[in-house]
Amino acid sequence: MIFSSLVRDIMNTFPTARIAKSIIDDYVQGIRLASGQINTYSGSTHIGFSEEESLHYIEEVFTDYKKYTGIEKFFGVVAEIGPGDNAGVALLMRRDGATQVDLLDRFYSYRNSQHQTKIYETLAKKYEISHFKTQDDWDEQALAGINWKTGQSAEDYFRQCAQEQGQIYDFIISRAVLEHLYNPLDALADMVTCLKKGGRMFHEIDLRDHNWFSPTQHELFFLQIPSFIYPFMVRNSGGPNRILLHRYRDVLESMKKIGLIDYSILVTNLVNVGRIEPHKIFEDIDVDKQHKAINFVEKHRQKFAREFCNVDTQYLSVGGIFVIVTRN
């Protein structure tokens, strides 16, 4: 206990120590993945929740998809990327009218089966979804119309889908997942290929450092790490990938220009400001909040890695986005 506390103090005091540890941890994680060990506590969202808290979280995620996109019901075939330790959102989409929901996750998030059963029972009592249970108990691997696809990265899955199956999904959704992919931009393009005409994608993306260095360091400190070092910290572990707003916008804009998609991007978080509720386009955010975020970026940007030196300050000031894409 004393030793672990000492290590934590050292890493908080000396960021280079945290960088070194992250590189080692990522290397070890790469060995684990190569040997087929995909279990992780990352994504174990519900493990510390009560049944009521889990119900609220599931409802919030499900409701946000509708609130910010204007859809009335989910239908057809849906892919949810990174569901973590629970299929609650998928069950609500099935109740809505989706005929099939594929749950894609590179890792298997630890979960307590008894606790999960209580969550599903609480959800079923409120929304009358017990008919999706194919066994006497709530075996989440045996839910009607819900397919777990665990152990394959989203990048690999959608690349294969684009090459072999094409337009099969009516919806592709994720919440706080794309920032953990090693190559989310190529994956995004492949997702579009896998959408049916008129199909839609909704992705809430957290662009922050996930408390990797903050709050001990300022919240943009992770942008200071040299670009030749950073990939070795996140390649296997799923740490924040530093793919920021401007790069998502560039990829989406290139697809829009050729008539493939329409899209919009809402801001969910500003640096040095926090959560933006309700989510808005940048221009509609309170001007004082815009200036507070932009001034914070200007204060620190001289120390950023070279790849961020010429990026518009407005883009760097955005700490989270909600991306809405429609396939033409």
Side-chain angles (χ1 to χ4, degrees):
M1 188 71 174
I2 296 176
F3 178 75
S4 61
S5 178
L6 177 61
V7 170
R8 184 169 58 252
D9 290 343
I10 290 174
M11 289 193 296
N12 287 339
T13 305
F14 302 102
T16 52
R18 182 171 294 279
I19 293 171
K21 183 178 184 302
S22 296
I23 292 173
I24 294 171
D25 289 346
D26 190 80
Y27 177 76
V28 172
Q29 180 64 25
I31 295 174
R32 292 183 72 250
L33 287 174
S35 65
Q37 300 179 55
I38 60 173
N39 293 348
T40 178
Y41 279 104
S42 177
S44 298
T45 304
H46 297 268
I47 202 166
F49 285 177
S50 66
E51 292 90 76
E52 291 73 22
E53 288 171 331
S54 288
L55 178 63
H56 175 75
Y57 178 81
I58 292 166
E59 290 175 328
E60 179 184 50
V61 173
F62 181 72
T63 301
D64 274 0
Y65 287 133
K66 292 187 171 184
K67 176 180 178 181
Y68 291 108
T69 62
I71 67 166
E72 293 185 5
K73 289 183 177 294
F74 283 95
F75 56 84
V77 184
V78 183
E80 181 184 1
I81 309 170
D85 60 350
N86 189 273
V89 174
L91 283 167
L92 292 184
M93 288 189 289
R94 285 283 284 122
R95 177 182 181 270
D96 233 17
T99 57
Q100 175 181 321
V101 182
D102 293 336
L103 302 180
L104 320 174
D105 213 316
R106 182 183 186 185
F107 301 102
Y108 179 83
S109 300
Y110 287 110
R111 62 204 72 185
N112 181 304
S113 58
Q114 292 181 337
H115 181 54
Q116 292 291 335
T117 294
K118 292 179 181 178
I119 295 172
Y120 291 129
E121 288 176 346
T122 301
L123 197 65
K125 183 178 181 181
K126 182 171 182 178
Y127 291 100
E128 299 180 350
I129 55 173
S130 293
H131 56 287
F132 294 127
K133 181 174 59 173
T134 63
Q135 300 181 4
D136 291 338
D137 59 353
W138 279 98
D139 181 356
E140 62 183 19
Q141 299 296 323
L143 299 174
I146 296 178
N147 306 314
W148 289 84
K149 298 177 181 291
T150 307
Q152 186 177 22
S153 70
E155 295 97 319
D156 290 342
Y157 178 83
F158 285 107
R159 183 186 309 115
Q160 184 175 350
C161 173
Q163 294 171 350
E164 299 177 2
Q165 300 182 74
Q167 302 175 19
I168 64 171
Y169 287 111
D170 295 280
F171 297 94
I172 300 174
I173 66 172
S174 72
R175 181 180 172 110
V177 174
L178 294 197
E179 68 268 20
H180 297 295
L181 302 189
Y182 188 69
N183 190 356
L185 302 180
D186 284 352
L188 200 64
D190 286 331
M191 289 177 208
V192 170
T193 302
C194 296
L195 280 177
K196 298 176 183 178
K197 291 188 182 298
R200 307 189 71 186
M201 292 199 302
F202 314 136
H203 300 292
E204 184 168 339
I205 310 170
D206 188 343
L207 305 176
R208 299 171 297 171
D209 82 334
H210 291 228
N211 295 323
W212 213 356
F213 295 94
S214 61
T216 306
Q217 307 296 326
H218 67 82
E219 63 180 295
L220 294 179
F221 180 86
F222 74 126
L223 300 185
Q224 297 180 194
I225 300 170
S227 300
F228 67 89
I229 293 176
Y230 197 81
F232 295 101
M233 300 169 60
V234 301
R235 185 184 304 271
N236 302 298
S237 61
N241 53 35
R242 286 203 317 193
I243 307 297
L244 302 183
L245 169 57
H246 61 291
R247 297 190 63 188
Y248 284 105
R249 183 187 177 280
D250 287 347
V251 168
L252 293 169
E253 191 64 24
S254 66
M255 289 189 282
K256 180 178 179 179
K257 284 181 178 179
I258 62 174
L260 188 59
I261 65 167
D262 285 317
Y263 77 94
S264 59
I265 299 176
L266 306 178
V267 175
T268 64
N269 185 285
L270 282 181
V271 301
N272 200 38
V273 173
R275 191 78 171 168
I276 301 299
E277 295 282 3
H279 312 330
K280 303 176 181 179
I281 61 172
F282 187 89
E283 291 75 16
D284 287 346
I285 297 173
D286 179 82
V287 174
D288 289 340
K289 291 182 178 180
Q290 291 183 28
H291 290 166
K292 184 177 180 181
I294 287 172
N295 290 340
F296 185 83
V297 172
E298 290 295 346
K299 177 181 177 181
H300 296 286
R301 71 176 299 151
Q302 68 273 13
K303 294 183 180 180
F304 290 170
R306 184 175 299 176
E307 67 178 287
F308 303 109
C309 288
N310 296 319
V311 177
D312 190 292
T313 304
Q314 177 179 311
Y315 291 137
L316 297 178
S317 72
V318 174
I321 54 177
F322 193 101
V323 177
I324 304 165
V325 176
T326 301
R327 172 77 187 264
N328 293 329

